[in-house]
Amino acid sequence: MWGIELQRESGSGIPLSRQIYQQISRSILDGVIPPYEALPSTRELARTLGVSRHTVSEAYDMLLAEGYVCSRQGAPTRVVDGLRLERAAGGPARDEDGTYTQAGVGAETAVGGYAADFKTGQPDLRRFPKYVWTRLQSEAFSQLALEGLGYGSPDGYEPLRKEIAAWLFRSRGIRVPAGHIFVTAGATQALNLLADLLHREGKEFVIEDPCHPGILNLLRNRGFKYRPAPVDEHGLVVEGAEALFRHESGNGDGGGISAVYVTPSHQFPLGGILPANRRIALLRLARENSFYVIEDDYDCEFRYGGAPITPLYALDAERVIYVGTFSKTVFPSLRLGFAILPEPLHQRWRFLRMYADVQCPIVEQAALAEFLRTRKMDRHVSRLRKIYGRRREALLEAVKRRFGRAVLRVWGDNAGLHLALQFAEGRYGKDFSRKARKEGIRLSSVNQYSIARRDQHMDKLLLGYGHLEPEEIRSGIDRLHDFWHRGLPWI
Amino acid sequence: MWGIELQRESGSGIPLSRQIYQQISRSILDGVIPPYEALPSTRELARTLGVSRHTVSEAYDMLLAEGYVCSRQGAPTRVVDGLRLERAAGGPARDEDGTYTQAGVGAETAVGGYAADFKTGQPDLRRFPKYVWTRLQSEAFSQLALEGLGYGSPDGYEPLRKEIAAWLFRSRGIRVPAGHIFVTAGATQALNLLADLLHREGKEFVIEDPCHPGILNLLRNRGFKYRPAPVDEHGLVVEGAEALFRHESGNGDGGGISAVYVTPSHQFPLGGILPANRRIALLRLARENSFYVIEDDYDCEFRYGGAPITPLYALDAERVIYVGTFSKTVFPSLRLGFAILPEPLHQRWRFLRMYADVQCPIVEQAALAEFLRTRKMDRHVSRLRKIYGRRREALLEAVKRRFGRAVLRVWGDNAGLHLALQFAEGRYGKDFSRKARKEGIRLSSVNQYSIARRDQHMDKLLLGYGHLEPEEIRSGIDRLHDFWHRGLPWI
């Protein structure tokens, strides 16, 4: 009846009543069963299909509940008018097995199968105390009060905010009230919310050029305008470029400034430390022009000579918004970071966060609070610092041994997880990276991060090393040298 | 010398070298130490302060690294010019203990201390198998390959996408390729990304009126325009309101449509199930006018009579974007949900997600995949369904017993975690909720969710019940009745 065919093997997974419902509703949509047609009685259809009346009743209830048919007392149940709908042309293929291969942006973030992988910003996951973390996580979760499972504060888990404040004091000597620390899903989300929070219609963000792609791409995603400001070996150039930091840029664009983004502890990608005079000049401009400065301190924990750089935030907690991350010190898929916000921004931030994703999940926050409270973080970071420092040495030695005087200079302070090599000659752009990748070498050229000042850094290659053992670094440099040597047209 | 005072108790927490650095740099900023002033020799300062020369050297290295002083071979180290910076006027108070009390939006989400708490959208956390989850979580995390700790795909953890696809098939009879399922930080983030993804300059989102505050507030946050469309007992009104779903709305605004947002399985807040004729009419309009329909299926798992409603998505996988959440079936602070996207949107979604927060944390994704794979989810949801169904009964009985004929009608299908009571007379607005709250009763009026059609629902109160035991429901209704009875001016 009505062409209904039932799959009775229990393996089909769909209850018989739903199968009946699905086929009748499909027929109604296709116009096979016309409007006003009366449904057969449950007894009749049950007999025809060889199922129980209860099964048919259930199917009819579904059709009724969803408005495919309507019934009136004493009259038969009839098909509602006006339900004809042409089937969608394509739609997801029915036989697709759901296998999905990463492409595009996704692939960039995957841990690759490269013979020489100099991707930047990768901590060494092999050194992470996974066993300790698993235990902390279980303990933290099972000790959590029941309310912890419910919706929490968009500001972050209270004990974690306090532990971050204590950690900032221990590790960087800055005092921050826990109430000014807002937990985020990594630095990325902090920057994303800040873009929305600080954006002023028609005004521009000032960003570094070359710059970290995170901030650049999120501004582009939002359609927010930006001014790329020059960077040299010391980081953002302020003196001589003051016009860029004034509301009237002198370009006749008449725009103002939404905020300034800067990486003062270790400029990405060139590695400079912003000197005090530039810090002061920038803060003066911020005060005169009433803009906020976003300080992205993405890998400040790893400095191999001397003490950690004092954040810009320490100089002016009212004008500087500090953004930190635990992706490098704990692990990236933890997705925890934070922003330190001056009071006037708290209320609006909370509202934005609430409707962005409400809050970070609770487990990670509780586990991280314990990791910090028990000083396991301190020990872990101090161990990593020694390891990464040795790797940097290994990289420099290997480069010197292999490339000799072809490398003019190493850019970047004795810090972080990457450095840049400046070659005596050579033009390294996207093409170079692409061809290298085909040879199993992942690295980028500094030039790929340039915005307005194209081709200014064609002589520099960017190498991440934190995640590589010294042996991997040496063999990677051997491989890179081979490729570089063969590809003489590149230089 | 230079007014440096050191705190030597080991309890101060700041190393001596950093104390020296901090005080000298502060004096430079304050102008107390003028430009070009030579630093005393390390030997001299060490003797004066009674510390080791090494300590002073460390402090000087910090000053040098951060550009407060500069040194040239053979000449003494001198203070750099132009570092004067007035101290910020206010800034975070030094003696603040960081204690932070939730306010504003935050408070709305806190688990309150209400004697009668009829907040909507709250699952019963007491029924969650926390012990089982803790174990799953530990196992999932410890079995995770090392790469799982690194940056992953913005699309979601592959095994979880497959398990969600299987769950959708088991629970709603829809077949979705796993590659079309994008894991999000709850439905909130899905809606947020969709707003960005589907927004077209100058065009409007059509939303229900009254409506869930999530979508409304995020559109407002973004400054995106919207058209509120009428809702009746069956959900979104389509027939007779077609103009609202056409690019030319007839209001002379000349705008078009970015997308339509709808809650067809259980309209929020009025509880209607969108009948098939309206579903069809809406999809026809979507095809004619080339817009996407966002289907928010926020509590579809809980239907107490009959089978779950078939999603709108089943009718047109090319035009409908389905949004689901695990906040109600697992727990809210898990922060996991998903969107099912047609292929043309995948690439852009990925890019937006990448620069929003990269991905969801890995632990929750791995644990949820196991919860689904082992069918623990199915058992949990089926148990909750029975419990919530009984609570709904208890609520209806208590309302009938207490309010009798003062309640004209109960709005909302036999489903979900809330229902609306329509009173014979009465004007319930924000004032009513506010005064009730002072008496320990948390509930809202339907009218609070109205957008353009103000005061249309002044006769309806909204009650969430999923998280309350029958006894709590009964005593809550007693309390509400007392308040309501006393406050006769309200009716």
Side-chain angles (χ1 to χ4, degrees), chain A residues 380-394:
Chain A
H380 178 54
V381 166
S382 134
R383 216 172 60 229
L384 284 182
R385 193 183 292 123
K386 281 186 204 115
I387 293 169
Y388 293 161
R390 284 198 296 267
R391 291 176 181 184
R392 189 172 191 275
E393 287 308 313

mmCIF file of all heavy atoms in Angstrom, chain A residues 380-394:
data_model
loop_
_atom_site.group_PDB
_atom_site.id
_atom_site.type_symbol
_atom_site.label_atom_id
_atom_site.label_comp_id
_atom_site.label_asym_id
_atom_site.label_seq_id
_atom_site.Cartn_x
_atom_site.Cartn_y
_atom_site.Cartn_z
ATOM 1 N N HIS A 380 57.713 22.611 34.991
ATOM 2 C CA HIS A 380 57.597 22.219 33.585
ATOM 3 C C HIS A 380 58.211 23.291 32.675
ATOM 4 O O HIS A 380 59.003 22.995 31.781
ATOM 5 C CB HIS A 380 56.124 21.993 33.251
ATOM 6 C CG HIS A 380 55.860 21.630 31.838
ATOM 7 N ND1 HIS A 380 56.489 20.573 31.208
ATOM 8 C CD2 HIS A 380 55.029 22.174 30.909
ATOM 9 C CE1 HIS A 380 56.069 20.502 29.963
ATOM 10 N NE2 HIS A 380 55.186 21.450 29.761
ATOM 11 N N VAL A 381 57.871 24.539 32.919
ATOM 12 C CA VAL A 381 58.378 25.628 32.077
ATOM 13 C C VAL A 381 59.887 25.756 32.224
ATOM 14 O O VAL A 381 60.602 25.954 31.229
ATOM 15 C CB VAL A 381 57.671 26.960 32.426
ATOM 16 C CG1 VAL A 381 58.404 28.144 31.814
ATOM 17 C CG2 VAL A 381 56.223 26.925 31.946
ATOM 18 N N SER A 382 60.370 25.593 33.443
ATOM 19 C CA SER A 382 61.813 25.753 33.629
ATOM 20 C C SER A 382 62.567 24.618 32.918
ATOM 21 O O SER A 382 63.639 24.830 32.341
ATOM 22 C CB SER A 382 62.100 25.839 35.127
ATOM 23 O OG SER A 382 63.164 25.030 35.483
ATOM 24 N N ARG A 383 61.980 23.421 32.911
ATOM 25 C CA ARG A 383 62.616 22.315 32.193
ATOM 26 C C ARG A 383 62.583 22.570 30.686
ATOM 27 O O ARG A 383 63.569 22.389 29.973
ATOM 28 C CB ARG A 383 61.898 21.009 32.522
ATOM 29 C CG ARG A 383 62.835 19.825 32.597
ATOM 30 C CD ARG A 383 62.134 18.591 33.111
ATOM 31 N NE ARG A 383 61.024 18.206 32.271
ATOM 32 C CZ ARG A 383 59.794 17.915 32.712
ATOM 33 N NH1 ARG A 383 59.518 17.966 33.990
ATOM 34 N NH2 ARG A 383 58.852 17.575 31.865
ATOM 35 N N LEU A 384 61.418 23.020 30.211
ATOM 36 C CA LEU A 384 61.287 23.315 28.779
ATOM 37 C C LEU A 384 62.269 24.394 28.350
ATOM 38 O O LEU A 384 62.858 24.323 27.274
ATOM 39 C CB LEU A 384 59.875 23.790 28.453
ATOM 40 C CG LEU A 384 58.760 22.743 28.401
ATOM 41 C CD1 LEU A 384 57.456 23.419 28.010
ATOM 42 C CD2 LEU A 384 59.089 21.640 27.406
ATOM 43 N N ARG A 385 62.432 25.387 29.215
ATOM 44 C CA ARG A 385 63.302 26.511 28.861
ATOM 45 C C ARG A 385 64.720 26.008 28.596
ATOM 46 O O ARG A 385 65.360 26.406 27.622
ATOM 47 C CB ARG A 385 63.286 27.556 29.983
ATOM 48 C CG ARG A 385 63.900 28.889 29.566
ATOM 49 C CD ARG A 385 63.919 29.867 30.725
ATOM 50 N NE ARG A 385 62.590 30.306 31.112
ATOM 51 C CZ ARG A 385 62.066 30.178 32.331
ATOM 52 N NH1 ARG A 385 62.781 29.627 33.305
ATOM 53 N NH2 ARG A 385 60.855 30.611 32.579
ATOM 54 N N LYS A 386 65.180 25.096 29.455
ATOM 55 C CA LYS A 386 66.525 24.541 29.255
ATOM 56 C C LYS A 386 66.585 23.735 27.954
ATOM 57 O O LYS A 386 67.521 23.859 27.175
ATOM 58 C CB LYS A 386 66.895 23.635 30.432
ATOM 59 C CG LYS A 386 67.346 24.422 31.636
ATOM 60 C CD LYS A 386 67.855 23.512 32.754
ATOM 61 C CE LYS A 386 67.734 24.230 34.081
ATOM 62 N NZ LYS A 386 66.767 23.596 35.004
ATOM 63 N N ILE A 387 65.565 22.936 27.747
ATOM 64 C CA ILE A 387 65.545 22.087 26.550
ATOM 65 C C ILE A 387 65.518 22.933 25.277
ATOM 66 O O ILE A 387 66.295 22.733 24.357
ATOM 67 C CB ILE A 387 64.314 21.149 26.597
ATOM 68 C CG1 ILE A 387 64.461 20.150 27.747
ATOM 69 C CG2 ILE A 387 64.116 20.436 25.265
ATOM 70 C CD1 ILE A 387 63.196 19.365 28.046
ATOM 71 N N TYR A 388 64.612 23.907 25.248
ATOM 72 C CA TYR A 388 64.486 24.738 24.048
ATOM 73 C C TYR A 388 65.758 25.556 23.811
ATOM 74 O O TYR A 388 66.155 25.791 22.667
ATOM 75 C CB TYR A 388 63.271 25.665 24.156
ATOM 76 C CG TYR A 388 61.941 24.953 24.146
ATOM 77 C CD1 TYR A 388 60.796 25.581 24.628
ATOM 78 C CD2 TYR A 388 61.802 23.661 23.640
ATOM 79 C CE1 TYR A 388 59.562 24.942 24.615
ATOM 80 C CE2 TYR A 388 60.575 23.009 23.627
ATOM 81 C CZ TYR A 388 59.456 23.658 24.117
ATOM 82 O OH TYR A 388 58.242 23.028 24.099
ATOM 83 N N GLY A 389 66.367 26.012 24.904
ATOM 84 C CA GLY A 389 67.607 26.782 24.778
ATOM 85 C C GLY A 389 68.688 25.946 24.094
ATOM 86 O O GLY A 389 69.406 26.425 23.208
ATOM 87 N N ARG A 390 68.788 24.675 24.501
ATOM 88 C CA ARG A 390 69.782 23.786 23.888
ATOM 89 C C ARG A 390 69.460 23.543 22.420
ATOM 90 O O ARG A 390 70.346 23.426 21.579
ATOM 91 C CB ARG A 390 69.836 22.455 24.644
ATOM 92 C CG ARG A 390 70.566 22.561 25.975
ATOM 93 C CD ARG A 390 70.996 21.191 26.492
ATOM 94 N NE ARG A 390 69.858 20.338 26.797
ATOM 95 C CZ ARG A 390 69.293 20.230 28.008
ATOM 96 N NH1 ARG A 390 69.778 20.918 29.025
ATOM 97 N NH2 ARG A 390 68.262 19.423 28.198
ATOM 98 N N ARG A 391 68.181 23.486 22.111
ATOM 99 C CA ARG A 391 67.780 23.245 20.722
ATOM 100 C C ARG A 391 68.123 24.447 19.848
ATOM 101 O O ARG A 391 68.499 24.302 18.693
ATOM 102 C CB ARG A 391 66.284 22.935 20.661
ATOM 103 C CG ARG A 391 66.017 21.596 21.286
ATOM 104 C CD ARG A 391 64.564 21.240 21.353
ATOM 105 N NE ARG A 391 64.447 19.930 21.992
ATOM 106 C CZ ARG A 391 63.321 19.266 22.153
ATOM 107 N NH1 ARG A 391 62.177 19.792 21.710
ATOM 108 N NH2 ARG A 391 63.301 18.092 22.728
ATOM 109 N N ARG A 392 67.939 25.615 20.420
ATOM 110 C CA ARG A 392 68.297 26.816 19.677
ATOM 111 C C ARG A 392 69.796 26.791 19.354
ATOM 112 O O ARG A 392 70.217 27.074 18.229
ATOM 113 C CB ARG A 392 67.946 28.055 20.497
ATOM 114 C CG ARG A 392 68.075 29.358 19.731
ATOM 115 C CD ARG A 392 67.535 30.533 20.524
ATOM 116 N NE ARG A 392 67.420 31.719 19.691
ATOM 117 C CZ ARG A 392 68.423 32.557 19.478
ATOM 118 N NH1 ARG A 392 69.600 32.360 20.035
ATOM 119 N NH2 ARG A 392 68.247 33.614 18.690
ATOM 120 N N GLU A 393 70.597 26.400 20.353
ATOM 121 C CA GLU A 393 72.045 26.286 20.145
ATOM 122 C C GLU A 393 72.339 25.291 19.024
ATOM 123 O O GLU A 393 73.153 25.538 18.139
ATOM 124 C CB GLU A 393 72.742 25.812 21.433
ATOM 125 C CG GLU A 393 72.822 26.868 22.523
ATOM 126 C CD GLU A 393 73.413 28.160 22.016
ATOM 127 O OE1 GLU A 393 74.454 28.116 21.337
ATOM 128 O OE2 GLU A 393 72.802 29.227 22.261
ATOM 129 N N ALA A 394 71.662 24.141 19.113
ATOM 130 C CA ALA A 394 71.877 23.096 18.115
ATOM 131 C C ALA A 394 71.530 23.604 16.718
ATOM 132 O O ALA A 394 72.227 23.328 15.735
ATOM 133 C CB ALA A 394 71.038 21.867 18.449
#
